Amino acid sequence: MKPINERTGMKRRSRAVLHAFVSTLKRLKNDRRGVGAVEFAIIFPLLMALYITAFELTIGFSVYKRATRAAGSIADLVSQPQTVNKAYLGTMKDVAAAIFVPYGTTGLTLKITGIQVDANKVAKVSWSWDQNDKRPYPVNSIVVIPDNLRQANAFLIHAELTIPHTLLMVMSTLSSKLTPITIGRDYYFAKREADPITCSDC
């Protein structure tokens, strides 16, 4: 058995510690210093994530619009002359590069196809070309085209463009593991005149 005086002293010390703890809690409850810094520390990561997301979406949408514009412009330009060749089609890469400024065109792929629709509304490849001066599609192979363009004896130019898009605001260690997003657009343009467009060396 502990002496009464010792037990009384322990109770007093316990009450003092409890009183000090309660006083500290009350003081912290009423203390507003640093609240702004704490709130900012909590909200900052969320704000940063929203900013990066908005930035990436804006850049991605801008690249997407340029891909659409480039495919449409190329199809339009190729549909104007009566005869084309590989040298002329090769200049379409420069057209795409000009439209994509200030973004680069590294990894851009381009395919241009002349499609003849016969009297039975069957669409076949007349000629085709890609950015490597190759023929991506066999001649006379049947292709699927939109129904609204399936007109008898029509001739169409089909431009297909794809470009990789890499996220810009990511950690360097993470960006090396991410696969670039491939943005692809294609565009059909009908020949302005009745005669088909020929490619002399495709």
Side-chain angles (χ1 to χ4, degrees):
M1 288 286 294
K2 292 183 180 179
I4 296 176
N5 291 338
E6 187 177 344
R7 282 184 291 173
T8 304
M10 289 180 62
K11 288 181 181 179
R12 286 176 181 171
R13 284 194 295 273
S14 299
R15 288 195 194 116
V17 170
L18 182 60
H19 179 69
F21 180 70
V22 172
S23 298
T24 302
L25 288 179
K26 288 180 178 178
R27 190 170 63 252
L28 288 175
K29 179 182 177 182
N30 298 323
D31 193 351
R32 291 291 180 262
R33 293 175 298 175
V35 172
V38 173
E39 290 176 348
F40 180 75
I42 294 172
I43 295 173
F44 178 75
L46 299 176
L47 294 176
M48 198 64 187
L50 288 174
Y51 171 76
I52 292 174
T53 302
F55 178 83
E56 293 292 359
L57 288 175
T58 301
I59 297 298
F61 186 64
S62 179
V63 173
Y64 179 84
K65 288 196 301 182
R66 280 172 167 77
T68 302
R69 193 181 313 146
S73 299
I74 290 169
D76 184 14
L77 290 170
V78 176
S79 70
Q80 295 180 24
Q82 192 63 48
T83 302
V84 297
N85 55 28
K86 288 182 178 180
Y88 177 78
L89 296 175
T91 62
M92 296 301 113
K93 292 183 288 186
D94 299 327
V95 173
I99 292 173
F100 272 97
V101 171
Y103 308 111
T105 54
T106 303
L108 181 140
T109 64
L110 180 62
K111 297 177 185 177
I112 303 174
T113 308
I115 300 173
Q116 178 68 59
V117 183
D118 62 20
N120 296 320
K121 297 184 179 181
V122 177
K124 295 182 179 179
V125 173
S126 180
W127 52 265
S128 61
W129 171 92
D130 65 15
Q131 78 282 352
N132 298 317
D133 280 339
K134 304 293 184 181
R135 181 186 297 162
Y137 304 115
V139 175
N140 290 327
S141 58
I142 297 176
V143 292
V144 177
I145 62 174
D147 291 337
N148 61 323
L149 296 175
R150 197 180 297 278
Q151 304 295 327
N153 301 317
F155 192 87
L156 307 173
I157 295 295
H158 184 206
E160 301 170 82
L161 184 148
T162 62
I163 188 167
H165 174 63
T166 305
L167 300 178
L168 300 178
M169 296 183 66
V170 293
M171 295 180 294
S172 59
T173 56
L174 179 61
S175 61
S176 61
K177 300 177 183 178
L178 292 176
T179 302
I181 301 168
T182 300
I183 296 176
R185 297 296 292 154
D186 67 324
Y187 207 96
Y188 291 90
F189 215 97
K191 178 69 173 67
R192 288 180 168 81
E193 300 173 1
D195 296 332
I197 300 170
T198 59
C199 182
S200 59
D201 55 357
C202 293

